[in-house]
Amino acid sequence: MKKLVIGSVMMVSIFAVGAMAEELTGFIGDSNCGAKHEAAAAKDVACAKGCIKKGADAVLLSNGKVYKFDADSAAKAKEHAGEKVTVNGSVSDDVITATSIEAAK
């Protein structure tokens, strides 16, 4: 009986962690301009790269929403400034903890 209970708890835990993982596709912009760059035109790319280089935080613009990155994910996001990307990770409120950031296909 004890093994059944422990096994059930472990299975529920695995599914709970899996349910929290998300995949978002969008544009890595900057915190200064926010959602103004969701179109990702050439001028948006240049602006996002320039603002991030000057110290603005990288943000993900996806479906009209602006997501911030947690401290551990911010450096990864800055490497993709001005790019359309797919981000895998978890989202809490509007903060992403990224496990991977890759160029979108």
Side-chain angles (χ1 to χ4, degrees):
M1 180 69 166
K2 186 176 180 181
K3 287 182 182 180
L4 178 62
V5 171
I6 292 172
S8 296
V9 169
M10 289 177 60
M11 289 301 289
V12 169
S13 297
I14 290 170
F15 287 118
V17 170
M20 293 176 7
E22 292 190 44
E23 180 179 279
L24 297 168
T25 299
F27 177 76
I28 299 288
D30 63 276
S31 59
N32 291 344
C33 298
K36 290 194 316 187
H37 294 311
E38 192 162 16
K43 64 182 174 126
D44 299 322
V45 171
C47 183
K49 286 182 176 185
C51 287
I52 289 170
K53 191 173 188 175
K54 291 177 185 173
D57 293 329
V59 296
L60 178 70
L61 309 168
S62 179
N63 296 320
K65 186 164 178 160
V66 178
Y67 295 92
K68 301 172 192 167
F69 289 94
D70 71 347
D72 293 336
S73 305
K76 286 186 229 177
K78 286 182 179 183
E79 293 173 11
H80 294 279
E83 296 179 16
K84 184 175 180 185
V85 297
T86 299
V87 179
N88 288 294
S90 60
V91 179
S92 178
D93 294 322
D94 64 346
V95 179
I96 298 172
T97 300
T99 54
S100 69
I101 302 174
E102 300 174 353
K105 296 175 184 169

